[in-house]
Amino acid sequence: CILYGYGSYGHSIDPEFSKYIPSLLDRGYIYCIAHIRGGGENGYKWYKEGKKLNKLNTFKDYIECAEYLIKNGITSSERLVATGASAGGLLVGAVINMRPELFNVAVMGVPFVNVLSEMCDDSIPLTTEEYEEWGNPHKKEYFEYMSKYCPYKNINFKNRYPNIYIYSNINDSLVNYKVPYYYYIKIKEADVFKKGERKIYLNIKQKYGHGGSSN
């Protein structure tokens, strides 16, 4: 079972055809979309309840969706895949720190996994306009709040993390490839990976940008 999530910028995940999903369904997968706070599916209030000092709601909602699937016998934690890209990669990174045992696999695409460090560097293009989404970490309350969920900062080497697959692109101007690279370098030192109990992979394409290749 694949549980896809995003939950940022008020973006709504509309029901639409995807050429990728039928292949999964043909192989017996269940594909689920978590409409979590921070997204726009239930209006502007839904968005505001998952941004800035409410951002933890995004992760809690996603966890609750995963728990629902397990509780109702739709899947089990041994068969559940967490996946998201960009801000959705931040979502997955935060969630597997909070509840690593819920998932068997985590897939993070072009993931914004070091939100604290990136947001503190206002020389990076787009950072200052991102204050509207995450808050300004130069203000103490926002810095401390980001510190609670930043995936890179909250890596726990004793966590039983799921198997992890991370992908990025060398010319990504929104989430520099070094962000997932340094995250990978750190998290692969977790006991579960060092002992070979779980697997972790990083794939950085030597071209393309944030959206990957064309069709």
Side-chain angles (χ1 to χ4, degrees):
C1 178
I2 292 177
L3 180 60
Y4 172 82
Y6 187 74
S8 291
Y9 301 102
H11 175 68
S12 297
I13 306 172
D14 295 322
E16 61 185 8
F17 177 77
S18 166
K19 67 180 182 181
Y20 302 106
I21 296 176
S23 173
L24 294 165
L25 302 180
D26 288 343
R27 286 177 281 161
Y29 280 84
I30 298 169
Y31 191 91
C32 303
I33 299 172
H35 294 304
I36 50 186
R37 281 175 289 182
E41 289 83 6
N42 287 324
Y44 187 64
K45 183 173 181 286
W46 194 249
Y47 168 44
K48 288 202 303 181
E49 289 177 352
K51 64 183 291 191
K52 289 188 174 179
L53 298 177
N54 293 316
K55 191 61 196 171
L56 282 168
N57 287 334
T58 301
F59 315 130
K60 292 175 181 177
D61 286 358
Y62 186 86
I63 288 169
E64 193 164 327
C65 289
E67 290 175 334
Y68 176 90
L69 294 172
I70 294 168
K71 180 180 178 181
N72 287 275
I74 295 168
T75 189
S76 65
S77 59
E78 292 78 21
R79 294 184 173 218
L80 185 55
V81 180
T83 185
S86 193
L90 184 159
L91 163 71
V92 174
V95 164
I96 63 172
N97 281 336
M98 297 165 69
R99 293 291 302 278
E101 79 287 351
L102 272 180
F103 308 94
N104 183 45
V105 178
V107 179
M108 289 178 266
V110 292
F112 190 44
V113 280
N114 198 343
V115 59
L116 190 62
S117 178
E118 293 295 289
M119 291 303 298
C120 284
D121 185 355
D122 54 18
S123 69
I124 298 173
L126 304 181
T127 291
T128 52
E129 69 178 64
E130 292 287 297
Y131 291 166
E132 183 58 31
E133 183 69 20
W134 316 103
N136 182 352
H138 298 295
K139 296 179 179 178
K140 184 179 179 182
E141 62 176 340
Y142 290 111
F143 181 91
E144 291 179 345
Y145 193 80
M146 284 182 199
S147 296
K148 293 179 182 179
Y149 67 79
C150 176
Y152 181 88
K153 179 176 175 57
N154 289 286
I155 290 171
N156 183 342
F157 296 120
K158 299 299 180 182
N159 269 356
R160 182 166 174 76
Y161 285 109
N163 300 286
I164 296 177
Y165 178 73
I166 306 164
Y167 64 90
S168 183
N169 303 298
I170 203 79
N171 294 316
D172 192 333
S173 60
L174 295 183
V175 180
N176 189 283
Y177 74 92
K178 293 179 181 178
V179 173
Y181 173 73
Y182 288 128
Y183 172 83
Y184 165 78
I185 291 297
K186 183 177 180 181
I187 198 171
K188 74 182 183 72
E189 296 303 313
D191 291 347
V192 71
F193 300 120
K194 293 183 75 173
K195 293 177 180 178
E197 296 171 1
R198 298 285 197 176
K199 297 179 180 180
I200 181 167
Y201 297 101
L202 172 67
N203 180 8
I204 300 178
K205 297 289 187 185
Q206 296 303 300
K207 50 185 176 178
Y208 310 131
H210 194 64
S213 64
S214 70
N215 289 338

